[in-house]
Amino acid sequence: MLIDTHAHMDDERYIGILDDVINEFMSQGGKLIINSSYDKKSIEDSIKLSEKYPIIYSTAGLHPHDAKTGDEEFFKFLEESCKRDKVVGVGEIGLDYYYDHSPRKVQQEMFLRQLLLAEKLEMPVAIHSRDAHKDTYDILKKFSGRVTGVMHSYSGSWEMAKNYLDLGYYISFSGPVTFKNSRKLPEVASKVPLDRILVETDSPYLTPVPFRGRTNTPSFVKYVAEKVADIREISFDSLMEAVEGNVRNLFGDIKF
Ligand SMILES: [Zn+2]
């Protein structure tokens, strides 16, 4: 069985080939794709995809890159979207101090506001954090015991992962765990408790070994899961069984 807990199937790279990509995933045992959105148009597109494809569910949120577009009208739209049938979380949200596409103050404000929304609606969150782990943790900590979710495409240290685990977060691995130059991630993948591990592709980005350079697709989650299972010296099936249980625990509403 395959599950991809974070992908962007509304990306323009899939125009005209999406049916093939989804069919390929299902033919390999794919049961679920959680499609993450990042702005108003992406939320609309993601919901449309979830209406067309039974295996696609969505999270709705404003990415830190797009934080500067978060006005009152957007937040009204976001709250309505979060109440839709196949929207199962708020995300992706967070902080990105690597690209700084939006001012940091604005990123923090939008992050906080979306965490308040997740708390109000009792929904899990999908967190994007790049070069911003200290501030991300400080903000998430304010919601300790009230909001939890997943650290998507986790790229930090084991020390930091422990902090997120203490807050109840799940740690999700993607392509970089398969990269030869990745030093921190194998350590994190070996130490995260099995009942807190998730796997994803972040398609179309972060294509795993051995397909680096090609557009990523949900089928490639297999290579991420194989790598994590290898590191932990457990079988692929044991790992995916754990991931399935973790998805059900975190995103209660999903039927798959
Ligand atoms: Zn993403």
Side-chain angles (χ1 to χ4, degrees), residues 6-8 36 63 92 128 152 200 202 205:
H6 188 113
H8 300 277
S36 192
H63 195 284
E92 59 189 289
H128 171 106
H152 123 74
E200 62 170 281
D202 203 17
Y205 314 105

Side-chain angles (χ1 to χ4, degrees), residues 181-195:
N181 61 1
S182 122
R183 272 164 283 141
K184 291 178 295 186
L185 287 179
E187 184 194 1
V188 181
S190 71
K191 290 180 173 169
V192 172
L194 197 54
D195 63 0

Side-chain angles (χ1 to χ4, degrees), residues 44-244:
E44 287 168 345
D45 290 347
S46 186
I47 289 173
K48 274 185 214 149
L49 289 181
S50 71
E51 286 166 350
K52 179 167 180 199
Y53 299 99
I55 67 166
I56 294 185
Y57 283 72
S58 298
T59 63
L62 186 64
H63 195 284
H65 289 345
D66 305 288
K68 52 184 182 292
T69 66
D71 55 14
E72 292 313 310
E73 194 194 326
F74 173 79
F75 271 90
K76 244 181 91 185
F77 168 77
L78 177 62
E79 182 161 351
E80 284 162 13
S81 300
C82 284
K83 292 175 181 166
R84 302 280 294 252
D85 251 6
K86 291 180 81 184
V87 176
V88 295
V90 179
E92 59 189 289
I93 63 175
L95 302 173
D96 193 312
Y97 296 171
Y98 180 78
Y99 286 108
D100 280 326
H101 286 331
S102 287
R104 293 183 182 182
K105 273 253 167 319
V106 179
Q107 292 187 37
Q108 290 159 12
E109 189 192 322
M110 292 301 133
F111 187 24
L112 205 66
R113 239 184 119 166
Q114 294 181 94
L115 285 162
L116 284 166
L117 179 65
E119 181 183 13
K120 178 178 156 187
L121 301 178
E122 297 181 356
M123 292 178 99
V125 289
I127 305 295
H128 171 106
S129 179
R130 185 149 185 208
D131 287 0
H133 277 295
K134 192 192 173 300
D135 285 0
T136 302
Y137 176 69
D138 287 344
I139 291 174
L140 292 181
K141 206 173 151 194
K142 293 182 188 166
F143 293 84
S144 177
R146 289 147 45 212
V147 176
T148 184
V150 49
M151 301 309 299
H152 123 74
S153 214
Y154 185 71
S155 60
S157 65
W158 166 241
E159 294 310 308
M160 201 67 226
K162 271 194 291 192
N163 292 330
Y164 293 127
L165 289 166
D166 287 344
L167 292 180
Y169 280 77
Y170 290 72
I171 305 290
S172 182
F173 296 94
S174 59
V177 77
T178 69
F179 298 173
K180 281 204 173 61
N181 61 1
S182 122
R183 272 164 283 141
K184 291 178 295 186
L185 287 179
E187 184 194 1
V188 181
S190 71
K191 290 180 173 169
V192 172
L194 197 54
D195 63 0
R196 295 293 192 81
I197 285 189
L198 294 174
V199 288
E200 62 170 281
T201 59
D202 203 17
S203 292
Y205 314 105
L206 304 177
T207 310
V209 172
F211 293 110
R212 284 186 83 174
R214 274 177 53 180
T215 297
N216 205 357
T217 78
S219 300
F220 292 165
V221 78
K222 182 172 65 185
Y223 299 100
V224 175
E226 262 169 11
K227 181 69 180 189
V228 173
D230 273 1
I231 290 169
R232 300 180 71 93
E233 298 178 345
I234 60 173
S235 70
F236 179 87
D237 289 345
S238 313
L239 179 76
M240 286 316 300
E241 213 172 280
V243 167
E244 182 190 352

Side-chain angles (χ1 to χ4, degrees), residues 1-56:
M1 183 195 38
L2 296 177
I3 294 170
D4 186 355
T5 66
H6 188 113
H8 300 277
M9 305 317 293
D10 50 306
D11 190 272
E12 60 185 13
R13 271 167 269 195
Y14 301 115
I15 294 173
I17 59 165
L18 191 54
D19 280 351
D20 292 343
V21 168
I22 302 284
N23 285 336
E24 163 78 6
F25 179 62
M26 290 172 72
S27 76
Q28 298 200 23
K31 298 281 184 245
L32 170 71
I33 297 169
I34 301 180
N35 201 67
S36 192
S37 55
Y38 50 87
D39 68 358
K40 184 168 189 284
K41 178 165 189 306
S42 161
I43 294 168
E44 287 168 345
D45 290 347
S46 186
I47 289 173
K48 274 185 214 149
L49 289 181
S50 71
E51 286 166 350
K52 179 167 180 199
Y53 299 99
I55 67 166
I56 294 185

